[in-house]
Amino acid sequence: VAALVARTRLPSYKMTKPITIATSSIELQSSIVEKDIPRLSEILYEHDIIYKPLKVVLRKGKEHYMCYSRYNAFMNELKAHPIKNKKLIAFFESNKFEKRGFDLDKIKLPQNIKEKICVKGSCSRCPFADKCRYGNFLQECQYDSNIDIQVTNHNLYLASRKNHHEILRSSSFVIIDEAHKFKDA
């Protein structure tokens, strides 16, 4: 609350940089983005403590997102043995996975399958670069200046501090949640 009020109300702290909240679990990150910050924003806005509703985004590493190239290669492997992989092929096709499966954390799939279709390595030479949702996501991350809060995990936050990171914007304030797990990261 203090960081939000300082960022939005105090003239000496008015900045365009977002507040970063770093925590250790995806579940907590999702709760902060989907429940906690929207409710806090509503309360602060209703009481004229902030002047506009807060915009919060979740920032995760590339291994949490689908890669078209790796997905297509995986589907080709599955289709090479259609009888054996019938259920999995049907799952991907019936759920229109190619269009809807961008954020792998929102889909119930075994981790070993997610690892086969997630973004890995450099995307610069990818044959799907022109329609890559992850590439578009990276551009949005850098150019969306209306973000008030970005929520991420400890590892991505630390990586962004060590070297320039495409996903996280630099911050005015950083809140380390679950600090007892921060040293492990």
Side-chain angles (χ1 to χ4, degrees), residues 5 12 15 17-18 32 34-35 38 44 47-48 50 55 70 75-76 79 91-92 98 108 152 154 177 181-184:
V5 173
S12 60
M15 300 176 193
K17 295 179 180 180
I32 290 169
E34 295 167 10
K35 296 175 187 168
L44 294 174
H47 290 87
D48 295 323
I50 59 175
K55 181 175 180 184
R70 296 185 79 219
M75 285 300 288
N76 288 338
K79 289 178 179 179
F91 169 81
F92 283 127
E98 189 171 340
K108 292 186 180 188
T152 190
H154 293 158
D177 197 2
K181 296 181 180 180
F182 192 66
K183 185 176 179 182
D184 293 337

mmCIF file of all heavy atoms in Angstrom, residues 5 12 15 17-18 32 34-35 38 44 47-48 50 55 70 75-76 79 91-92 98 108 152 154 177 181-184:
data_model
loop_
_atom_site.group_PDB
_atom_site.id
_atom_site.type_symbol
_atom_site.label_atom_id
_atom_site.label_comp_id
_atom_site.label_asym_id
_atom_site.label_seq_id
_atom_site.Cartn_x
_atom_site.Cartn_y
_atom_site.Cartn_z
ATOM 1 N N VAL A 5 0.757 4.195 -2.847
ATOM 2 C CA VAL A 5 0.416 5.579 -2.516
ATOM 3 C C VAL A 5 1.576 6.497 -2.877
ATOM 4 O O VAL A 5 1.372 7.548 -3.484
ATOM 5 C CB VAL A 5 0.027 5.700 -1.025
ATOM 6 C CG1 VAL A 5 -0.156 7.161 -0.629
ATOM 7 C CG2 VAL A 5 -1.259 4.927 -0.755
ATOM 8 N N SER A 12 7.190 13.822 -5.198
ATOM 9 C CA SER A 12 8.600 13.448 -5.290
ATOM 10 C C SER A 12 8.795 12.017 -5.775
ATOM 11 O O SER A 12 9.875 11.642 -6.204
ATOM 12 C CB SER A 12 9.283 13.631 -3.934
ATOM 13 O OG SER A 12 8.649 12.820 -2.961
ATOM 14 N N MET A 15 6.519 8.527 -10.732
ATOM 15 C CA MET A 15 7.424 7.936 -11.710
ATOM 16 C C MET A 15 6.620 7.100 -12.689
ATOM 17 O O MET A 15 5.517 6.674 -12.388
ATOM 18 C CB MET A 15 8.429 7.032 -10.997
ATOM 19 C CG MET A 15 9.275 7.739 -9.991
ATOM 20 S SD MET A 15 10.322 6.552 -9.148
ATOM 21 C CE MET A 15 10.872 7.563 -7.801
ATOM 22 N N LYS A 17 7.902 4.279 -13.782
ATOM 23 C CA LYS A 17 8.344 2.900 -13.591
ATOM 24 C C LYS A 17 7.367 2.155 -12.682
ATOM 25 O O LYS A 17 6.853 2.717 -11.719
ATOM 26 C CB LYS A 17 9.736 2.873 -12.968
ATOM 27 C CG LYS A 17 10.811 3.449 -13.854
ATOM 28 C CD LYS A 17 12.145 3.399 -13.158
ATOM 29 C CE LYS A 17 13.239 3.969 -14.041
ATOM 30 N NZ LYS A 17 14.535 3.911 -13.351
ATOM 31 N N PRO A 18 7.140 0.883 -12.984
ATOM 32 C CA PRO A 18 6.201 0.112 -12.160
ATOM 33 C C PRO A 18 6.831 -0.341 -10.843
ATOM 34 O O PRO A 18 8.048 -0.340 -10.680
ATOM 35 C CB PRO A 18 5.896 -1.103 -13.039
ATOM 36 C CG PRO A 18 7.131 -1.278 -13.858
ATOM 37 C CD PRO A 18 7.650 0.110 -14.109
ATOM 38 N N ILE A 32 -2.075 -12.655 -6.418
ATOM 39 C CA ILE A 32 -1.777 -11.219 -6.324
ATOM 40 C C ILE A 32 -2.345 -10.487 -7.537
ATOM 41 O O ILE A 32 -2.976 -9.440 -7.405
ATOM 42 C CB ILE A 32 -0.252 -10.992 -6.202
ATOM 43 C CG1 ILE A 32 0.231 -11.467 -4.826
ATOM 44 C CG2 ILE A 32 0.102 -9.526 -6.427
ATOM 45 C CD1 ILE A 32 1.747 -11.529 -4.698
ATOM 46 N N GLU A 34 -4.691 -11.582 -9.864
ATOM 47 C CA GLU A 34 -6.118 -11.770 -10.158
ATOM 48 C C GLU A 34 -7.049 -11.350 -9.021
ATOM 49 O O GLU A 34 -8.205 -11.014 -9.285
ATOM 50 C CB GLU A 34 -6.370 -13.235 -10.509
ATOM 51 C CG GLU A 34 -5.657 -13.652 -11.788
ATOM 52 C CD GLU A 34 -5.631 -15.152 -12.007
ATOM 53 O OE1 GLU A 34 -6.331 -15.893 -11.269
ATOM 54 O OE2 GLU A 34 -4.892 -15.600 -12.906
ATOM 55 N N LYS A 35 -6.578 -11.369 -7.774
ATOM 56 C CA LYS A 35 -7.467 -11.082 -6.644
ATOM 57 C C LYS A 35 -6.995 -9.909 -5.791
ATOM 58 O O LYS A 35 -7.729 -8.944 -5.589
ATOM 59 C CB LYS A 35 -7.599 -12.323 -5.755
ATOM 60 C CG LYS A 35 -8.240 -13.499 -6.438
ATOM 61 C CD LYS A 35 -8.229 -14.717 -5.535
ATOM 62 C CE LYS A 35 -8.729 -15.940 -6.306
ATOM 63 N NZ LYS A 35 -8.473 -17.183 -5.599
ATOM 64 N N PRO A 38 -6.366 -6.254 -7.671
ATOM 65 C CA PRO A 38 -7.637 -5.666 -8.107
ATOM 66 C C PRO A 38 -8.525 -5.214 -6.931
ATOM 67 O O PRO A 38 -9.129 -4.144 -6.982
ATOM 68 C CB PRO A 38 -8.303 -6.792 -8.901
ATOM 69 C CG PRO A 38 -7.149 -7.582 -9.427
ATOM 70 C CD PRO A 38 -6.122 -7.545 -8.317
ATOM 71 N N LEU A 44 -8.669 1.491 -2.759
ATOM 72 C CA LEU A 44 -7.926 2.750 -2.801
ATOM 73 C C LEU A 44 -8.577 3.760 -3.747
ATOM 74 O O LEU A 44 -8.613 4.953 -3.457
ATOM 75 C CB LEU A 44 -6.476 2.483 -3.221
ATOM 76 C CG LEU A 44 -5.630 1.668 -2.247
ATOM 77 C CD1 LEU A 44 -4.263 1.364 -2.859
ATOM 78 C CD2 LEU A 44 -5.477 2.369 -0.918
ATOM 79 N N HIS A 47 -11.799 5.312 -2.258
ATOM 80 C CA HIS A 47 -11.529 6.268 -1.186
ATOM 81 C C HIS A 47 -10.619 7.414 -1.636
ATOM 82 O O HIS A 47 -10.058 8.130 -0.804
ATOM 83 C CB HIS A 47 -10.928 5.534 0.019
ATOM 84 C CG HIS A 47 -11.919 4.657 0.712
ATOM 85 N ND1 HIS A 47 -12.160 3.353 0.328
ATOM 86 C CD2 HIS A 47 -12.763 4.909 1.730
ATOM 87 C CE1 HIS A 47 -13.094 2.833 1.097
ATOM 88 N NE2 HIS A 47 -13.484 3.756 1.959
ATOM 89 N N ASP A 48 -10.492 7.594 -2.938
ATOM 90 C CA ASP A 48 -9.710 8.686 -3.528
ATOM 91 C C ASP A 48 -8.260 8.731 -3.059
ATOM 92 O O ASP A 48 -7.650 9.787 -2.988
ATOM 93 C CB ASP A 48 -10.386 10.042 -3.243
ATOM 94 C CG ASP A 48 -11.731 10.151 -3.930
ATOM 95 O OD1 ASP A 48 -11.848 9.647 -5.063
ATOM 96 O OD2 ASP A 48 -12.660 10.728 -3.337
ATOM 97 N N ILE A 50 -5.957 6.754 -4.639
ATOM 98 C CA ILE A 50 -5.311 6.743 -5.949
ATOM 99 C C ILE A 50 -6.289 7.345 -6.943
ATOM 100 O O ILE A 50 -7.498 7.362 -6.715
ATOM 101 C CB ILE A 50 -4.861 5.322 -6.372
ATOM 102 C CG1 ILE A 50 -6.040 4.348 -6.434
ATOM 103 C CG2 ILE A 50 -3.765 4.805 -5.442
ATOM 104 C CD1 ILE A 50 -5.703 2.963 -6.960
ATOM 105 N N LYS A 55 -3.070 -0.933 -12.875
ATOM 106 C CA LYS A 55 -2.845 -1.951 -13.904
ATOM 107 C C LYS A 55 -1.721 -2.858 -13.417
ATOM 108 O O LYS A 55 -0.600 -2.399 -13.178
ATOM 109 C CB LYS A 55 -2.473 -1.317 -15.239
ATOM 110 C CG LYS A 55 -2.271 -2.371 -16.326
ATOM 111 C CD LYS A 55 -2.024 -1.763 -17.682
ATOM 112 C CE LYS A 55 -1.839 -2.873 -18.702
ATOM 113 N NZ LYS A 55 -1.511 -2.341 -20.013
ATOM 114 N N ARG A 70 8.250 -25.490 -31.477
ATOM 115 C CA ARG A 70 8.383 -26.703 -30.679
ATOM 116 C C ARG A 70 7.043 -27.437 -30.578
ATOM 117 O O ARG A 70 6.997 -28.661 -30.572
ATOM 118 C CB ARG A 70 8.929 -26.361 -29.293
ATOM 119 C CG ARG A 70 10.344 -25.780 -29.397
ATOM 120 C CD ARG A 70 10.980 -25.541 -28.057
ATOM 121 N NE ARG A 70 11.461 -26.840 -27.583
ATOM 122 C CZ ARG A 70 11.383 -27.237 -26.320
ATOM 123 N NH1 ARG A 70 10.851 -26.464 -25.406
ATOM 124 N NH2 ARG A 70 11.842 -28.419 -25.972
ATOM 125 N N MET A 75 3.738 -32.029 -32.156
ATOM 126 C CA MET A 75 2.528 -32.570 -32.800
ATOM 127 C C MET A 75 2.901 -33.518 -33.935
ATOM 128 O O MET A 75 2.253 -34.557 -34.107
ATOM 129 C CB MET A 75 1.626 -31.444 -33.308
ATOM 130 C CG MET A 75 0.867 -30.730 -32.212
ATOM 131 S SD MET A 75 -0.232 -31.809 -31.263
ATOM 132 C CE MET A 75 -1.526 -32.107 -32.445
ATOM 133 N N ASN A 76 3.931 -33.190 -34.690
ATOM 134 C CA ASN A 76 4.390 -34.090 -35.757
ATOM 135 C C ASN A 76 4.874 -35.418 -35.184
ATOM 136 O O ASN A 76 4.610 -36.474 -35.764
ATOM 137 C CB ASN A 76 5.479 -33.423 -36.595
ATOM 138 C CG ASN A 76 4.928 -32.328 -37.483
ATOM 139 O OD1 ASN A 76 3.735 -32.308 -37.802
ATOM 140 N ND2 ASN A 76 5.775 -31.396 -37.855
ATOM 141 N N LYS A 79 1.729 -37.325 -34.186
ATOM 142 C CA LYS A 79 0.982 -37.800 -35.348
ATOM 143 C C LYS A 79 1.713 -38.906 -36.117
ATOM 144 O O LYS A 79 1.105 -39.606 -36.917
ATOM 145 C CB LYS A 79 0.650 -36.623 -36.268
ATOM 146 C CG LYS A 79 -0.402 -35.716 -35.646
ATOM 147 C CD LYS A 79 -0.706 -34.511 -36.509
ATOM 148 C CE LYS A 79 -1.767 -33.657 -35.852
ATOM 149 N NZ LYS A 79 -2.083 -32.465 -36.636
ATOM 150 N N PHE A 91 -6.871 -34.068 -27.449
ATOM 151 C CA PHE A 91 -6.872 -32.997 -26.443
ATOM 152 C C PHE A 91 -6.380 -31.690 -27.053
ATOM 153 O O PHE A 91 -7.032 -30.650 -26.917
ATOM 154 C CB PHE A 91 -5.983 -33.380 -25.245
ATOM 155 C CG PHE A 91 -5.738 -32.242 -24.308
ATOM 156 C CD1 PHE A 91 -6.688 -31.889 -23.360
ATOM 157 C CD2 PHE A 91 -4.562 -31.499 -24.382
ATOM 158 C CE1 PHE A 91 -6.469 -30.820 -22.506
ATOM 159 C CE2 PHE A 91 -4.336 -30.434 -23.530
ATOM 160 C CZ PHE A 91 -5.296 -30.092 -22.585
ATOM 161 N N PHE A 92 -5.239 -31.723 -27.712
ATOM 162 C CA PHE A 92 -4.685 -30.511 -28.312
ATOM 163 C C PHE A 92 -5.622 -29.930 -29.370
ATOM 164 O O PHE A 92 -5.856 -28.725 -29.409
ATOM 165 C CB PHE A 92 -3.309 -30.782 -28.935
ATOM 166 C CG PHE A 92 -2.195 -30.880 -27.934
ATOM 167 C CD1 PHE A 92 -1.360 -31.982 -27.915
ATOM 168 C CD2 PHE A 92 -1.958 -29.867 -27.032
ATOM 169 C CE1 PHE A 92 -0.318 -32.072 -26.998
ATOM 170 C CE2 PHE A 92 -0.925 -29.940 -26.107
ATOM 171 C CZ PHE A 92 -0.102 -31.050 -26.093
ATOM 172 N N GLU A 98 -3.311 -24.555 -30.300
ATOM 173 C CA GLU A 98 -2.401 -23.670 -31.041
ATOM 174 C C GLU A 98 -2.801 -22.203 -30.899
ATOM 175 O O GLU A 98 -1.960 -21.316 -30.874
ATOM 176 C CB GLU A 98 -2.349 -24.062 -32.520
ATOM 177 C CG GLU A 98 -1.272 -23.327 -33.269
ATOM 178 C CD GLU A 98 -1.078 -23.869 -34.671
ATOM 179 O OE1 GLU A 98 -1.482 -25.002 -34.960
ATOM 180 O OE2 GLU A 98 -0.501 -23.130 -35.475
ATOM 181 N N LYS A 108 -3.875 -27.519 -17.833
ATOM 182 C CA LYS A 108 -3.499 -28.716 -17.082
ATOM 183 C C LYS A 108 -2.874 -29.732 -18.026
ATOM 184 O O LYS A 108 -3.565 -30.429 -18.755
ATOM 185 C CB LYS A 108 -4.714 -29.302 -16.373
ATOM 186 C CG LYS A 108 -5.212 -28.417 -15.274
ATOM 187 C CD LYS A 108 -6.313 -29.049 -14.477
ATOM 188 C CE LYS A 108 -6.728 -28.056 -13.403
ATOM 189 N NZ LYS A 108 -7.635 -28.604 -12.460
ATOM 190 N N THR A 152 6.348 -10.967 -10.406
ATOM 191 C CA THR A 152 7.247 -11.952 -10.995
ATOM 192 C C THR A 152 7.743 -12.909 -9.918
ATOM 193 O O THR A 152 7.383 -12.783 -8.756
ATOM 194 C CB THR A 152 8.437 -11.264 -11.705
ATOM 195 O OG1 THR A 152 9.152 -12.223 -12.462
ATOM 196 C CG2 THR A 152 9.354 -10.569 -10.718
ATOM 197 N N HIS A 154 11.083 -14.796 -7.852
ATOM 198 C CA HIS A 154 12.400 -14.384 -7.366
ATOM 199 C C HIS A 154 13.480 -14.584 -8.421
ATOM 200 O O HIS A 154 14.334 -13.704 -8.606
ATOM 201 C CB HIS A 154 12.776 -15.189 -6.108
ATOM 202 C CG HIS A 154 11.920 -14.883 -4.926
ATOM 203 N ND1 HIS A 154 11.783 -15.755 -3.879
ATOM 204 C CD2 HIS A 154 11.160 -13.819 -4.598
ATOM 205 C CE1 HIS A 154 10.995 -15.242 -2.957
ATOM 206 N NE2 HIS A 154 10.588 -14.069 -3.383
ATOM 207 N N ASP A 177 8.360 -10.538 -1.600
ATOM 208 C CA ASP A 177 7.412 -11.337 -0.820
ATOM 209 C C ASP A 177 8.042 -12.717 -0.629
ATOM 210 O O ASP A 177 8.851 -13.148 -1.459
ATOM 211 C CB ASP A 177 6.091 -11.436 -1.566
ATOM 212 C CG ASP A 177 4.949 -11.879 -0.697
ATOM 213 O OD1 ASP A 177 5.145 -12.085 0.516
ATOM 214 O OD2 ASP A 177 3.841 -12.047 -1.229
ATOM 215 N N LYS A 181 12.402 -17.373 1.169
ATOM 216 C CA LYS A 181 12.769 -18.238 0.053
ATOM 217 C C LYS A 181 13.674 -17.534 -0.954
ATOM 218 O O LYS A 181 14.150 -18.131 -1.900
ATOM 219 C CB LYS A 181 11.516 -18.738 -0.657
ATOM 220 C CG LYS A 181 10.632 -19.615 0.216
ATOM 221 C CD LYS A 181 9.418 -20.093 -0.541
ATOM 222 C CE LYS A 181 8.553 -20.968 0.334
ATOM 223 N NZ LYS A 181 7.375 -21.439 -0.385
ATOM 224 N N PHE A 182 13.916 -16.263 -0.738
ATOM 225 C CA PHE A 182 14.681 -15.446 -1.671
ATOM 226 C C PHE A 182 16.134 -15.909 -1.759
ATOM 227 O O PHE A 182 16.714 -15.952 -2.840
ATOM 228 C CB PHE A 182 14.623 -13.977 -1.243
ATOM 229 C CG PHE A 182 15.120 -13.005 -2.272
ATOM 230 C CD1 PHE A 182 14.444 -12.826 -3.465
ATOM 231 C CD2 PHE A 182 16.262 -12.267 -2.045
ATOM 232 C CE1 PHE A 182 14.883 -11.926 -4.418
ATOM 233 C CE2 PHE A 182 16.717 -11.359 -2.980
ATOM 234 C CZ PHE A 182 16.033 -11.193 -4.174
ATOM 235 N N LYS A 183 16.734 -16.268 -0.633
ATOM 236 C CA LYS A 183 18.136 -16.696 -0.626
ATOM 237 C C LYS A 183 18.334 -17.955 -1.483
ATOM 238 O O LYS A 183 19.326 -18.081 -2.185
ATOM 239 C CB LYS A 183 18.595 -16.964 0.808
ATOM 240 C CG LYS A 183 20.057 -17.283 0.912
ATOM 241 C CD LYS A 183 20.501 -17.452 2.356
ATOM 242 C CE LYS A 183 21.971 -17.799 2.411
ATOM 243 N NZ LYS A 183 22.420 -18.021 3.780
ATOM 244 N N ASP A 184 17.373 -18.873 -1.454
ATOM 245 C CA ASP A 184 17.473 -20.075 -2.279
ATOM 246 C C ASP A 184 17.476 -19.732 -3.766
ATOM 247 O O ASP A 184 18.161 -20.377 -4.555
ATOM 248 C CB ASP A 184 16.323 -21.035 -1.978
ATOM 249 C CG ASP A 184 16.402 -21.627 -0.582
ATOM 250 O OD1 ASP A 184 17.504 -21.663 -0.008
ATOM 251 O OD2 ASP A 184 15.357 -22.057 -0.066
#
